[in-house]
Amino acid sequence: TNGKKIYDAISLEMAPATYKSDEMDNLFQKELLGYTGKQMVKGGLVGFGTESNHEKKVYQMTYQCAALTNNANLVATDVSIRANALLAPHGIMCALDLRLTRLPKYTSKQMGQGYDVNKPCGLKFMAVE
């Protein structure tokens, strides 16, 4: 049935993609807690050209956080498009259900609070009038 197809797409495609993105974000935040003491130090030397493996790891994690967030958004968009195609003949449509998360402030000079980011967490359904 169409309901089963939509449910499976959410639970087997959308949810795992968002989970992986959240998991990487959490690992990255934990890694940053010890970042300052480990950056730019190699063999007792400090400065340009002495980047530690830890620093390189944090750069790779930054890329992976961005890539996994992008992937979660692409998967969710694909699921919502397919769900809308299945629901349209019945006068129903769906939109992404987004979860708001506040990013930590990256500097004391940043105005206000940290930036907000939305991640897909499901679909919300409504009748087309």
Side-chain angles (χ1 to χ4, degrees), residues 5 36-37 44 47-48 62 71-72 78 96 123 125 127:
K5 288 178 185 176
T36 306
F48 180 74
T62 302
N71 186 61
D78 181 60
L96 291 176
L123 298 176
F125 301 90

Side-chain angles (χ1 to χ4, degrees), residues 34-59:
Y35 176 71
T36 306
K38 297 177 182 177
Q39 78 182 81
M40 300 288 282
V41 177
K42 185 176 183 180
L45 300 173
V46 178
F48 180 74
T50 59
E51 294 85 357
S52 67
N53 286 334
H54 183 261
E55 189 167 8
K56 292 173 187 173
K57 176 181 176 181
V58 169
Y59 286 133

Side-chain angles (χ1 to χ4, degrees), residues 16-69:
T18 300
Y19 175 80
K20 287 176 188 173
S21 176
D22 287 343
E23 182 180 48
M24 189 65 199
D25 286 346
N26 290 332
L27 286 171
F28 181 68
Q29 290 305 318
K30 287 177 186 174
E31 194 68 34
L32 283 182
L33 293 175
Y35 176 71
T36 306
K38 297 177 182 177
Q39 78 182 81
M40 300 288 282
V41 177
K42 185 176 183 180
L45 300 173
V46 178
F48 180 74
T50 59
E51 294 85 357
S52 67
N53 286 334
H54 183 261
E55 189 167 8
K56 292 173 187 173
K57 176 181 176 181
V58 169
Y59 286 133
Q60 290 172 340
M61 290 177 81
T62 302
Y63 166 74
Q64 289 182 15
C65 283
L68 288 170
T69 297

Side-chain angles (χ1 to χ4, degrees), residues 6-7 15 19 22 44 54 68-69 75 78 80 99 128-129:
I6 294 169
Y7 176 83
Y19 175 80
D22 287 343
H54 183 261
L68 288 170
T69 297
V75 169
D78 181 60
S80 71
R99 181 192 47 181
V128 177
E129 299 186 25

Side-chain angles (χ1 to χ4, degrees), residues 18 116 118:
T18 300
D116 293 335
N118 287 299

